[in-house]
Amino acid sequence: RETDRYNFFGYSAKGGANYNIDQNHNVFANLGYFEKAPDFDAVFPNFNNTDINDKAENQKISSFELGYGFRGTKFSANVNLYRTAWNDRTETASFQQPDGTRAYANILGVNAIHQGIEIDFVYNLTNELKITGMGSIGDWRWQNNVENIQILDEDQNLVNTVNLFIKDLHVADAAQTTYALGLNYKLTPKSTLAVDYNFYDKIFAEYNPSSIGTVKPDAWQMPSYGLFDIAMNHRFKIGNFDAMLTGRMNNVFNTEYVSDAL
C-alpha cells in the first residue's frame, strides 16, 4: 500500500545562562521549546491508506528550570526548580476487554504539566569514601479532558467512542518522587566498591480509556519501594589499552515490587 506524503515540520530552540556569584556559589536558568511531529498512529489511525488524519497536531513542549549550585572543597550540591508543559501529546493505549480480546485507543490532544524540585549532592568524606545523593519531588498531572476517543478491536473495527475525564489526574507509569543515596569506596587505587539505594514513590497505574466515565477517580497508586544495588570495578591494562572489569548485583535483598500496572 502507498499513501500520499504528509509533512509535519518540527523544530527546537533552547538557551541558558549561568552566573558565578563567587568561587563557591552560582545560579543558573535554562529555557527550551520544541515541536515534535505527531506519532505515526496519530496520522494513520486505522493502519490503512484511506483514513488519514492530515491535520494531526505537532506535540509542543516548553520547559524551564531555575537553579542554584554550591562548590566546596569536599561538598558540592545543586538545587533546581523545573516546569514542563507538554501539549497535544499523542497517547496510544492497549488494554484487555471483558471478553479477553485486546482493544486499542489512539488518544490525541492531551496536555500535561510536569513540575517539581530536584536536589543532588556529592560529599567527599575522605580520599577513599565518597557519598552521593539526590532527591526529586514532582507533581505531574493531566491538564484537560479528551472527547470522542475511538476504541478499536484487533481488526481495527470500531468498538466504542468514549470521553476521557482525566483533568487534574496524575500522569501514570513513572515515579514522580525519587530519592537515592550512594557510597563509593576506593578499596585500592584501581578497585572501587559502590553501594546504591534508590527509593521510588508516587507511581500511578496507566488508565483504561474505556472505563473512565464522568467520575474522576485517580488511578491506583502503586506501592512505593526501595532497592539496594552493589557494584565493584577494577581497572587494569591490556597491553597499552586501559580496561575495566565490572561486577554488579541489582536488588540485593530480592525486594518484590510492582513496576507496571493498568
Side-chain angles (χ1 to χ4, degrees):
R1 294 181 178 181
E2 184 176 337
T3 69
D4 293 333
R5 182 181 296 271
Y6 300 93
N7 180 59
F8 297 88
F9 178 75
Y11 64 93
S12 64
K14 58 184 178 180
N18 177 79
Y19 178 70
N20 293 323
I21 300 172
D22 54 33
Q23 64 179 2
N24 298 115
H25 305 272
N26 70 290
V27 291
F28 58 88
N30 293 299
L31 300 170
Y33 178 84
F34 76 93
E35 292 200 5
K36 175 185 176 184
D39 289 350
F40 183 88
D41 291 346
V43 184
F44 303 95
N46 295 330
F47 298 95
N48 60 44
N49 60 346
T50 56
D51 299 325
I52 309 297
N53 180 18
D54 60 352
K55 293 182 173 56
E57 293 284 344
N58 277 1
Q59 301 184 57
K60 306 170 185 68
I61 299 95
S62 58
S63 184
F64 74 85
E65 67 171 348
L66 300 173
Y68 161 77
F70 173 80
R71 301 290 179 270
T73 304
K74 289 190 172 185
F75 180 78
S76 61
N78 298 292
V79 180
N80 75 286
L81 301 171
Y82 70 89
R83 180 180 172 88
T84 299
W86 192 337
N87 295 330
D88 291 316
R89 287 181 60 160
T90 301
E91 298 289 332
T92 302
S94 171
F95 55 94
Q96 189 174 36
Q97 299 185 95
D99 63 1
T101 61
R102 301 297 297 177
Y104 305 88
N106 194 17
I107 308 167
L108 307 178
V110 187
N111 301 331
I113 293 289
H114 292 218
Q115 58 187 353
I117 182 173
E118 298 175 331
I119 302 171
D120 66 85
F121 72 87
V122 176
Y123 180 44
N124 294 299
L125 188 62
T126 67
N127 291 333
E128 292 79 25
L129 180 60
K130 179 171 66 176
I131 302 173
T132 62
M134 62 79 64
S136 178
I137 301 174
D139 184 34
W140 309 345
R141 294 177 184 267
W142 302 116
Q143 294 298 295
N144 63 314
N145 299 320
V146 187
E147 298 182 349
N148 300 320
I149 299 170
Q150 292 186 337
I151 307 295
L152 306 175
D153 64 16
E154 293 177 309
D155 297 320
Q156 300 301 306
N157 297 314
L158 181 64
V159 175
N160 196 6
T161 301
V162 301
N163 297 326
L164 193 61
F165 295 93
I166 58 173
K167 184 179 180 181
D168 296 328
L169 303 190
H170 287 91
V171 175
D173 204 32
Q176 300 192 18
T177 296
T178 57
Y179 301 101
L181 185 65
L183 300 176
N184 193 295
Y185 186 72
K186 186 176 292 187
L187 299 171
T188 70
K190 295 185 178 181
S191 300
T192 303
L193 173 68
V195 180
D196 295 307
Y197 174 74
N198 292 279
F199 178 78
Y200 306 92
D201 193 19
K202 286 185 69 178
I203 319 169
F204 295 87
E206 291 197 54
Y207 309 104
N208 177 341
S210 66
S211 66
I212 296 188
T214 55
V215 181
K216 297 195 305 180
D218 213 340
W220 176 57
Q221 183 171 341
M222 298 151 61
S224 58
Y225 61 93
L227 302 176
F228 278 93
D229 302 327
I230 292 179
M232 182 179 292
N233 62 64
H234 177 70
R235 293 176 175 81
F236 58 98
K237 287 280 190 180
I238 298 180
N240 294 324
F241 295 96
D242 293 324
M244 183 171 66
L245 179 66
T246 300
R248 185 174 185 88
M249 178 184 289
N250 294 326
N251 195 5
V252 174
F253 297 108
N254 200 29
T255 300
E256 293 187 355
Y257 59 96
V258 178
S259 61
D260 293 287
L262 174 64

